[in-house]
Amino acid sequence: RRVSRSRGTRQRGARAYRPADLRRLLELQLTALQDRTQEKIIRELDSVVHACLLKCDGAIRRAVTKCREDLHQHIEERLVKHLTQQQDRMRKELNRTVSRITRRGGAIDT
C-alpha cells in the first residue's frame, strides 16, 4: 500500500504547498505586481503631465510674447498716426501764419 503525503498538498518542484498557503503566496505576488504596476503607471503619468506642462508653459509664453508684440505694434501705429495728424495740423497752422505775414507785408499778426 502507498502512503500519500499529507492531505491537501500539491507538489511543486521539491516543495509541497497546501492550497491555503499557495493561495496566500499567489495573493502576495499579485499584490506586489499590482504595486509595481501602479508605481510604473504613476511614473509614466507624471512624465506625461510634466511634458504637457512644459508644452503649455511654452505655448503660454509664446502667446504672451505675441500679444505684447501686437500691442506694441498697435501702440506704435496709433502713435505714428497721431503724430502725423499733429504734424499736419502744425504745418497748416504754420502755412496760415506765413500767409498772414506775407499778406500784411511782413508784419506779424497778433
Side-chain angles (χ1 to χ4, degrees):
R1 193 174 142 191
R2 281 177 78 173
V3 178
S4 66
R5 292 183 167 261
S6 64
R7 194 174 257 279
T9 63
R10 292 194 180 151
Q11 189 69 27
R12 179 187 159 121
R15 299 177 70 176
Y17 292 100
R18 290 182 308 161
D21 292 341
L22 186 58
R23 184 178 303 114
R24 181 71 185 132
L25 179 65
L26 290 174
E27 285 173 355
L28 287 173
Q29 289 176 342
L30 179 61
T31 301
L33 178 63
Q34 287 172 336
D35 289 347
R36 286 192 307 269
T37 302
Q38 275 183 335
E39 289 169 6
K40 183 179 177 185
I41 289 170
I42 288 170
R43 280 193 308 273
E44 289 174 0
L45 285 175
D46 191 43
S47 175
V48 168
V49 167
H50 184 68
C52 286
L53 286 174
L54 287 177
K55 276 186 176 179
C56 288
D57 188 42
I60 289 169
R61 200 174 302 120
R62 284 189 300 277
V64 167
T65 301
K66 172 128 178 51
C67 186
R68 186 179 296 129
E69 289 169 354
D70 290 350
L71 180 61
H72 286 159
Q73 182 179 351
H74 179 70
I75 289 171
E76 186 178 319
E77 288 170 358
R78 293 287 304 263
L79 187 58
V80 166
K81 182 179 177 185
H82 174 73
L83 290 174
T84 303
Q85 289 172 346
Q86 193 174 24
Q87 188 179 23
D88 289 345
R89 281 194 304 270
M90 291 173 76
R91 185 179 293 118
K92 286 177 185 175
E93 182 64 34
L94 181 61
N95 287 340
R96 278 196 294 269
T97 303
V98 168
S99 293
R100 280 198 301 264
I101 292 172
T102 54
R103 273 197 312 262
R104 296 184 188 270
I108 296 176
D109 187 21
T110 53

